Amino acid sequence: MAQAPYPLSHSLWAATAAEPPETAPLQGSARADVLVIGGGYAGLSTALHLAERGVDTVLLEAREIGFGGSGRNGGQVIPGLKHDPDDLLKMYGPEHGERLIRFAGGTADMVFGLIERHGMDVPRRRAGWIQGAHTGEALQLAQRRAEQWARHGVQAQMLDRQQVAQLLGTDRYLGGWLDPRAGSIQPLSYVRGLARAAQAAGARLHTDTPVTGLQRDGGQWTATTAGGGSVQAQRVVMCTNAYGASLWPGLQQSIIDANTFQVATRPLPEAARAAILPQGQVCSDTRNLLLYFRLDHQGRLLMGGRGPFREPKGQQDWAHLERVVGKLFPQAAGVPFEYRWCGRVAVTRDYLPHLHEPQPGLLIDIGCQGRGVGLQTAMGKALAAYTAGEGADALPVPITPIKGFPLYPLRRVYVNAVVAWYRMNDGGV
């Protein structure tokens, strides 16, 4: 089981988010057509789209809405997957590959569309995503990536070194590419907005209600909770990602629940604000241990990247990111850091989202690979369609058996070894 996560309350997002919706723990027993487990993007999107179809839906969240990765991420809404379009066509064939490319390419549209349609109180900006290339080889990769998405109708733009420097405010990249579909949101406000929309559609949401057991008997599922309550449902959709995979046997062993760390400055002074990301794009680079950064809606500079696999012990665990800010953006020198937080990402063996159906009526979604905002929002709509009876064609990826990482008990050893290797070979900032 994953360690108890660093408090969400320490994050920038908790300090600036819209108020949470009114929810309460489950008391006693309940019945529903569908039980959704997990109050993040995937679970809430599933509950929302099921309720809009008229399906009686109950959602159980172990802590508060957005307590896991949905309330801790960098707020970058980037379409696509870790694999490029040509790779997906090779992996899935022309028909299914094209369908997956369309799905992945539309994930940002779904996020911004839901915010607009439901009038959510979510600070947002859609100015695109820049992937900065840190080596000549990475620049060639960016070129191929832009060309592939352009063949699928995206107005992708290659950027030379000077253009990247002007748009990012740093000269540390050799070039890159711009994907105009992407943008940024206040992620905790967004997940709370999804919760309100799901409630308005008729879904029943219960927080502070950890599910401790799942059992199927006679075509009915029963979920028992830590508080002594229970929910009976014909179908269950499990969307816990890195924060509750231990609920089903073997699922925890199918992911690496890596920690990602972030820092945020105070709002930048006017001169620095005009020089750093002046047009509002978000950025992540081509390093294996990638850096990702953006400005928030109040002008703070955020920097994210890998940190210790364990939960943090003190402020020193973010020191490497603070040093990176100083190296990339000397314009921000002297601006204090106001927030430090972290959260876990579910990484699968093939860097793809996984869907499992280990028993009839139980559907499991896991694996966000760091692009969970758009991916899991869109996945929730697909999960709802499948659960409501539309069939496997409603799903973007096929249902597969659960398959664990080899030597899983040693994952921290080999993850730390890989991190050290990447750190040596990524080059300094």
Side-chain angles (χ1 to χ4, degrees), residues 7 10 13 30-31 47 49 59 90 93 97 180 183 205 231 256 273 288 296 313 320 331 334 340 346 373 382 427:
H10 290 206
W13 307 131
R31 290 180 177 270
H49 288 99
L59 181 146
K90 290 177 183 177
L205 312 185
V231 177
I256 297 294
R273 177 67 186 84
N288 289 298
D296 83 335
K313 296 181 178 179
H320 63 296
Q331 311 95 314
R340 299 168 183 86
V373 182

PDB file of all heavy atoms in Angstrom, residues 7 10 13 30-31 47 49 59 90 93 97 180 183 205 231 256 273 288 296 313 320 331 334 340 346 373 382 427:
ATOM      1  N   PRO A   7       0.362  16.144   3.150  1.00  0.00           N
ATOM      2  CA  PRO A   7      -0.961  16.785   3.221  1.00  0.00           C
ATOM      3  C   PRO A   7      -1.272  17.653   2.011  1.00  0.00           C
ATOM      4  O   PRO A   7      -0.462  18.468   1.572  1.00  0.00           O
ATOM      5  CB  PRO A   7      -0.869  17.636   4.496  1.00  0.00           C
ATOM      6  CG  PRO A   7       0.179  16.973   5.325  1.00  0.00           C
ATOM      7  CD  PRO A   7       1.172  16.415   4.349  1.00  0.00           C
ATOM      8  N   HIS A  10      -0.968  21.584   2.130  1.00  0.00           N
ATOM      9  CA  HIS A  10       0.275  22.323   1.968  1.00  0.00           C
ATOM     10  C   HIS A  10       0.442  22.884   0.554  1.00  0.00           C
ATOM     11  O   HIS A  10       1.403  23.587   0.285  1.00  0.00           O
ATOM     12  CB  HIS A  10       1.471  21.425   2.286  1.00  0.00           C
ATOM     13  CG  HIS A  10       1.589  21.086   3.740  1.00  0.00           C
ATOM     14  ND1 HIS A  10       2.797  20.756   4.323  1.00  0.00           N
ATOM     15  CD2 HIS A  10       0.674  21.026   4.737  1.00  0.00           C
ATOM     16  CE1 HIS A  10       2.600  20.503   5.618  1.00  0.00           C
ATOM     17  NE2 HIS A  10       1.325  20.650   5.874  1.00  0.00           N
ATOM     18  N   TRP A  13      -2.688  24.750  -4.592  1.00  0.00           N
ATOM     19  CA  TRP A  13      -4.061  24.558  -5.057  1.00  0.00           C
ATOM     20  C   TRP A  13      -5.054  24.593  -3.914  1.00  0.00           C
ATOM     21  O   TRP A  13      -6.150  25.161  -4.053  1.00  0.00           O
ATOM     22  CB  TRP A  13      -4.152  23.238  -5.813  1.00  0.00           C
ATOM     23  CG  TRP A  13      -3.147  23.097  -6.905  1.00  0.00           C
ATOM     24  CD1 TRP A  13      -2.328  22.032  -7.143  1.00  0.00           C
ATOM     25  CD2 TRP A  13      -2.819  24.062  -7.923  1.00  0.00           C
ATOM     26  NE1 TRP A  13      -1.526  22.259  -8.225  1.00  0.00           N
ATOM     27  CE2 TRP A  13      -1.807  23.502  -8.729  1.00  0.00           C
ATOM     28  CE3 TRP A  13      -3.284  25.342  -8.234  1.00  0.00           C
ATOM     29  CZ2 TRP A  13      -1.246  24.170  -9.818  1.00  0.00           C
ATOM     30  CZ3 TRP A  13      -2.729  26.020  -9.311  1.00  0.00           C
ATOM     31  CH2 TRP A  13      -1.731  25.437 -10.093  1.00  0.00           C
ATOM     32  N   ALA A  30     -26.440   1.385   1.272  1.00  0.00           N
ATOM     33  CA  ALA A  30     -27.051   2.041   0.117  1.00  0.00           C
ATOM     34  C   ALA A  30     -27.080   1.064  -1.043  1.00  0.00           C
ATOM     35  O   ALA A  30     -26.328   0.076  -1.073  1.00  0.00           O
ATOM     36  CB  ALA A  30     -26.265   3.295  -0.258  1.00  0.00           C
ATOM     37  N   ARG A  31     -27.942   1.340  -2.014  1.00  0.00           N
ATOM     38  CA  ARG A  31     -28.028   0.560  -3.238  1.00  0.00           C
ATOM     39  C   ARG A  31     -27.895   1.495  -4.428  1.00  0.00           C
ATOM     40  O   ARG A  31     -28.316   2.656  -4.369  1.00  0.00           O
ATOM     41  CB  ARG A  31     -29.348  -0.208  -3.326  1.00  0.00           C
ATOM     42  CG  ARG A  31     -29.476  -1.354  -2.336  1.00  0.00           C
ATOM     43  CD  ARG A  31     -30.813  -2.080  -2.491  1.00  0.00           C
ATOM     44  NE  ARG A  31     -30.909  -3.222  -1.597  1.00  0.00           N
ATOM     45  CZ  ARG A  31     -30.513  -4.455  -1.914  1.00  0.00           C
ATOM     46  NH1 ARG A  31     -29.994  -4.667  -3.126  1.00  0.00           N
ATOM     47  NH2 ARG A  31     -30.621  -5.443  -1.058  1.00  0.00           N
ATOM     48  N   ALA A  47     -18.985   9.193 -12.891  1.00  0.00           N
ATOM     49  CA  ALA A  47     -20.244   9.414 -12.174  1.00  0.00           C
ATOM     50  C   ALA A  47     -21.103  10.461 -12.872  1.00  0.00           C
ATOM     51  O   ALA A  47     -22.330  10.296 -13.000  1.00  0.00           O
ATOM     52  CB  ALA A  47     -19.952   9.835 -10.738  1.00  0.00           C
ATOM     53  N   HIS A  49     -21.118  11.334 -16.108  1.00  0.00           N
ATOM     54  CA  HIS A  49     -21.674  10.877 -17.385  1.00  0.00           C
ATOM     55  C   HIS A  49     -22.668   9.739 -17.200  1.00  0.00           C
ATOM     56  O   HIS A  49     -23.609   9.606 -17.994  1.00  0.00           O
ATOM     57  CB  HIS A  49     -20.530  10.489 -18.323  1.00  0.00           C
ATOM     58  CG  HIS A  49     -19.770  11.671 -18.835  1.00  0.00           C
ATOM     59  ND1 HIS A  49     -18.569  12.081 -18.298  1.00  0.00           N
ATOM     60  CD2 HIS A  49     -20.065  12.554 -19.821  1.00  0.00           C
ATOM     61  CE1 HIS A  49     -18.145  13.164 -18.935  1.00  0.00           C
ATOM     62  NE2 HIS A  49     -19.026  13.463 -19.861  1.00  0.00           N
ATOM     63  N   LEU A  59     -20.870   7.311  -5.580  1.00  0.00           N
ATOM     64  CA  LEU A  59     -19.414   7.406  -5.601  1.00  0.00           C
ATOM     65  C   LEU A  59     -18.900   7.482  -4.183  1.00  0.00           C
ATOM     66  O   LEU A  59     -19.397   8.269  -3.377  1.00  0.00           O
ATOM     67  CB  LEU A  59     -18.962   8.631  -6.402  1.00  0.00           C
ATOM     68  CG  LEU A  59     -17.448   8.849  -6.522  1.00  0.00           C
ATOM     69  CD1 LEU A  59     -17.095   9.471  -7.878  1.00  0.00           C
ATOM     70  CD2 LEU A  59     -16.897   9.749  -5.406  1.00  0.00           C
ATOM     71  N   LYS A  90       1.208   1.466 -34.963  1.00  0.00           N
ATOM     72  CA  LYS A  90       1.951   0.210 -35.001  1.00  0.00           C
ATOM     73  C   LYS A  90       1.466  -0.742 -33.912  1.00  0.00           C
ATOM     74  O   LYS A  90       1.384  -1.953 -34.105  1.00  0.00           O
ATOM     75  CB  LYS A  90       3.440   0.469 -34.828  1.00  0.00           C
ATOM     76  CG  LYS A  90       4.097   1.163 -36.015  1.00  0.00           C
ATOM     77  CD  LYS A  90       5.570   1.457 -35.727  1.00  0.00           C
ATOM     78  CE  LYS A  90       6.224   2.209 -36.885  1.00  0.00           C
ATOM     79  NZ  LYS A  90       7.638   2.571 -36.585  1.00  0.00           N
ATOM     80  N   GLY A  93      -2.813  -1.134 -34.781  1.00  0.00           N
ATOM     81  CA  GLY A  93      -3.352  -1.285 -36.120  1.00  0.00           C
ATOM     82  C   GLY A  93      -4.093  -0.035 -36.557  1.00  0.00           C
ATOM     83  O   GLY A  93      -4.394   0.848 -35.751  1.00  0.00           O
ATOM     84  N   GLY A  97      -5.973   2.020 -33.813  1.00  0.00           N
ATOM     85  CA  GLY A  97      -4.968   3.056 -33.577  1.00  0.00           C
ATOM     86  C   GLY A  97      -5.501   4.440 -33.866  1.00  0.00           C
ATOM     87  O   GLY A  97      -5.279   5.374 -33.096  1.00  0.00           O
ATOM     88  N   PRO A 180      -1.010  23.704 -29.784  1.00  0.00           N
ATOM     89  CA  PRO A 180      -1.961  24.737 -29.391  1.00  0.00           C
ATOM     90  C   PRO A 180      -3.197  24.211 -28.676  1.00  0.00           C
ATOM     91  O   PRO A 180      -3.991  25.013 -28.151  1.00  0.00           O
ATOM     92  CB  PRO A 180      -2.350  25.373 -30.735  1.00  0.00           C
ATOM     93  CG  PRO A 180      -2.185  24.269 -31.720  1.00  0.00           C
ATOM     94  CD  PRO A 180      -1.011  23.466 -31.238  1.00  0.00           C
ATOM     95  N   GLY A 183      -3.433  23.612 -22.421  1.00  0.00           N
ATOM     96  CA  GLY A 183      -3.662  24.790 -21.589  1.00  0.00           C
ATOM     97  C   GLY A 183      -3.416  24.476 -20.128  1.00  0.00           C
ATOM     98  O   GLY A 183      -2.771  23.478 -19.779  1.00  0.00           O
ATOM     99  N   LEU A 205     -22.553  11.413  -3.847  1.00  0.00           N
ATOM    100  CA  LEU A 205     -21.136  11.385  -3.518  1.00  0.00           C
ATOM    101  C   LEU A 205     -20.945  11.316  -2.011  1.00  0.00           C
ATOM    102  O   LEU A 205     -21.560  12.099  -1.265  1.00  0.00           O
ATOM    103  CB  LEU A 205     -20.427  12.635  -4.050  1.00  0.00           C
ATOM    104  CG  LEU A 205     -20.675  13.047  -5.500  1.00  0.00           C
ATOM    105  CD1 LEU A 205     -19.784  14.232  -5.866  1.00  0.00           C
ATOM    106  CD2 LEU A 205     -20.424  11.894  -6.453  1.00  0.00           C
ATOM    107  N   VAL A 231     -22.353  -0.671   0.242  1.00  0.00           N
ATOM    108  CA  VAL A 231     -23.098  -0.313  -0.964  1.00  0.00           C
ATOM    109  C   VAL A 231     -23.248  -1.560  -1.804  1.00  0.00           C
ATOM    110  O   VAL A 231     -22.260  -2.262  -2.075  1.00  0.00           O
ATOM    111  CB  VAL A 231     -22.379   0.779  -1.787  1.00  0.00           C
ATOM    112  CG1 VAL A 231     -23.144   1.067  -3.078  1.00  0.00           C
ATOM    113  CG2 VAL A 231     -22.223   2.053  -0.975  1.00  0.00           C
ATOM    114  N   ILE A 256       3.980   1.606 -10.961  1.00  0.00           N
ATOM    115  CA  ILE A 256       4.974   2.267 -10.114  1.00  0.00           C
ATOM    116  C   ILE A 256       4.336   3.573  -9.658  1.00  0.00           C
ATOM    117  O   ILE A 256       3.985   4.420 -10.473  1.00  0.00           O
ATOM    118  CB  ILE A 256       6.278   2.546 -10.882  1.00  0.00           C
ATOM    119  CG1 ILE A 256       6.932   1.238 -11.323  1.00  0.00           C
ATOM    120  CG2 ILE A 256       7.234   3.370 -10.033  1.00  0.00           C
ATOM    121  CD1 ILE A 256       7.423   0.358 -10.203  1.00  0.00           C
ATOM    122  N   ARG A 273       7.442  38.865 -14.378  1.00  0.00           N
ATOM    123  CA  ARG A 273       6.186  38.341 -14.959  1.00  0.00           C
ATOM    124  C   ARG A 273       6.128  38.613 -16.456  1.00  0.00           C
ATOM    125  O   ARG A 273       5.612  37.779 -17.231  1.00  0.00           O
ATOM    126  CB  ARG A 273       4.987  39.000 -14.255  1.00  0.00           C
ATOM    127  CG  ARG A 273       3.621  38.599 -14.803  1.00  0.00           C
ATOM    128  CD  ARG A 273       3.345  37.131 -14.528  1.00  0.00           C
ATOM    129  NE  ARG A 273       2.114  36.711 -15.168  1.00  0.00           N
ATOM    130  CZ  ARG A 273       2.004  36.319 -16.429  1.00  0.00           C
ATOM    131  NH1 ARG A 273       3.081  36.308 -17.206  1.00  0.00           N
ATOM    132  NH2 ARG A 273       0.847  35.935 -16.924  1.00  0.00           N
ATOM    133  N   ASN A 288      14.449  12.707 -19.534  1.00  0.00           N
ATOM    134  CA  ASN A 288      13.829  11.510 -18.966  1.00  0.00           C
ATOM    135  C   ASN A 288      13.220  11.832 -17.595  1.00  0.00           C
ATOM    136  O   ASN A 288      12.117  11.389 -17.280  1.00  0.00           O
ATOM    137  CB  ASN A 288      14.868  10.396 -18.840  1.00  0.00           C
ATOM    138  CG  ASN A 288      15.273   9.833 -20.178  1.00  0.00           C
ATOM    139  OD1 ASN A 288      14.448   9.289 -20.906  1.00  0.00           O
ATOM    140  ND2 ASN A 288      16.542   9.970 -20.520  1.00  0.00           N
ATOM    141  N   ASP A 296       0.730  30.335 -12.543  1.00  0.00           N
ATOM    142  CA  ASP A 296      -0.661  30.151 -12.151  1.00  0.00           C
ATOM    143  C   ASP A 296      -1.444  31.424 -12.445  1.00  0.00           C
ATOM    144  O   ASP A 296      -0.915  32.402 -12.983  1.00  0.00           O
ATOM    145  CB  ASP A 296      -0.763  29.730 -10.679  1.00  0.00           C
ATOM    146  CG  ASP A 296      -0.700  30.889  -9.698  1.00  0.00           C
ATOM    147  OD1 ASP A 296      -0.122  31.945 -10.043  1.00  0.00           O
ATOM    148  OD2 ASP A 296      -1.205  30.750  -8.577  1.00  0.00           O
ATOM    149  N   LYS A 313      10.540  14.372   3.912  1.00  0.00           N
ATOM    150  CA  LYS A 313      10.868  14.509   5.331  1.00  0.00           C
ATOM    151  C   LYS A 313      11.038  15.955   5.757  1.00  0.00           C
ATOM    152  O   LYS A 313      11.023  16.263   6.941  1.00  0.00           O
ATOM    153  CB  LYS A 313      12.151  13.734   5.633  1.00  0.00           C
ATOM    154  CG  LYS A 313      12.030  12.238   5.429  1.00  0.00           C
ATOM    155  CD  LYS A 313      13.333  11.521   5.765  1.00  0.00           C
ATOM    156  CE  LYS A 313      13.197  10.018   5.616  1.00  0.00           C
ATOM    157  NZ  LYS A 313      14.470   9.307   5.927  1.00  0.00           N
ATOM    158  N   HIS A 320      16.166  20.806  -4.807  1.00  0.00           N
ATOM    159  CA  HIS A 320      16.649  20.676  -6.180  1.00  0.00           C
ATOM    160  C   HIS A 320      15.773  21.451  -7.157  1.00  0.00           C
ATOM    161  O   HIS A 320      16.268  22.012  -8.138  1.00  0.00           O
ATOM    162  CB  HIS A 320      16.724  19.200  -6.578  1.00  0.00           C
ATOM    163  CG  HIS A 320      15.403  18.485  -6.579  1.00  0.00           C
ATOM    164  ND1 HIS A 320      14.648  18.291  -5.437  1.00  0.00           N
ATOM    165  CD2 HIS A 320      14.699  17.925  -7.594  1.00  0.00           C
ATOM    166  CE1 HIS A 320      13.542  17.634  -5.747  1.00  0.00           C
ATOM    167  NE2 HIS A 320      13.544  17.408  -7.045  1.00  0.00           N
ATOM    168  N   GLN A 331      15.611  35.736 -13.824  1.00  0.00           N
ATOM    169  CA  GLN A 331      14.716  36.888 -13.635  1.00  0.00           C
ATOM    170  C   GLN A 331      13.932  36.781 -12.322  1.00  0.00           C
ATOM    171  O   GLN A 331      13.467  37.788 -11.782  1.00  0.00           O
ATOM    172  CB  GLN A 331      13.706  36.998 -14.787  1.00  0.00           C
ATOM    173  CG  GLN A 331      14.290  36.920 -16.173  1.00  0.00           C
ATOM    174  CD  GLN A 331      14.228  35.511 -16.736  1.00  0.00           C
ATOM    175  OE1 GLN A 331      14.568  34.550 -16.043  1.00  0.00           O
ATOM    176  NE2 GLN A 331      13.812  35.379 -17.987  1.00  0.00           N
ATOM    177  N   GLY A 334      15.602  35.850  -6.054  1.00  0.00           N
ATOM    178  CA  GLY A 334      15.168  36.595  -4.869  1.00  0.00           C
ATOM    179  C   GLY A 334      13.691  36.488  -4.555  1.00  0.00           C
ATOM    180  O   GLY A 334      13.262  36.918  -3.479  1.00  0.00           O
ATOM    181  N   ARG A 340       5.184  24.227  -1.223  1.00  0.00           N
ATOM    182  CA  ARG A 340       5.888  23.005  -1.605  1.00  0.00           C
ATOM    183  C   ARG A 340       4.935  21.837  -1.348  1.00  0.00           C
ATOM    184  O   ARG A 340       4.394  21.715  -0.256  1.00  0.00           O
ATOM    185  CB  ARG A 340       7.170  22.826  -0.778  1.00  0.00           C
ATOM    186  CG  ARG A 340       8.181  23.948  -0.940  1.00  0.00           C
ATOM    187  CD  ARG A 340       9.284  23.878   0.106  1.00  0.00           C
ATOM    188  NE  ARG A 340      10.215  25.002  -0.021  1.00  0.00           N
ATOM    189  CZ  ARG A 340      10.025  26.200   0.551  1.00  0.00           C
ATOM    190  NH1 ARG A 340       8.922  26.423   1.300  1.00  0.00           N
ATOM    191  NH2 ARG A 340      10.914  27.164   0.389  1.00  0.00           N
ATOM    192  N   ALA A 346       0.563   7.231 -11.194  1.00  0.00           N
ATOM    193  CA  ALA A 346       0.518   5.810 -11.509  1.00  0.00           C
ATOM    194  C   ALA A 346       1.122   5.578 -12.887  1.00  0.00           C
ATOM    195  O   ALA A 346       0.561   5.981 -13.903  1.00  0.00           O
ATOM    196  CB  ALA A 346      -0.923   5.305 -11.483  1.00  0.00           C
ATOM    197  N   VAL A 373      -5.043  14.910 -16.201  1.00  0.00           N
ATOM    198  CA  VAL A 373      -6.148  15.876 -16.207  1.00  0.00           C
ATOM    199  C   VAL A 373      -7.081  15.612 -17.387  1.00  0.00           C
ATOM    200  O   VAL A 373      -8.281  15.392 -17.225  1.00  0.00           O
ATOM    201  CB  VAL A 373      -5.635  17.326 -16.247  1.00  0.00           C
ATOM    202  CG1 VAL A 373      -6.807  18.299 -16.202  1.00  0.00           C
ATOM    203  CG2 VAL A 373      -4.678  17.601 -15.100  1.00  0.00           C
ATOM    204  N   ALA A 382     -15.801   7.495 -21.333  1.00  0.00           N
ATOM    205  CA  ALA A 382     -15.749   6.185 -21.984  1.00  0.00           C
ATOM    206  C   ALA A 382     -16.164   5.075 -21.020  1.00  0.00           C
ATOM    207  O   ALA A 382     -16.895   4.144 -21.404  1.00  0.00           O
ATOM    208  CB  ALA A 382     -14.348   5.932 -22.524  1.00  0.00           C
ATOM    209  N   GLY A 427      21.879  15.542 -18.391  1.00  0.00           N
ATOM    210  CA  GLY A 427      22.631  16.785 -18.475  1.00  0.00           C
ATOM    211  C   GLY A 427      22.099  17.802 -17.479  1.00  0.00           C
ATOM    212  O   GLY A 427      20.955  17.768 -17.060  1.00  0.00           O
TER     213      GLY A 427
END
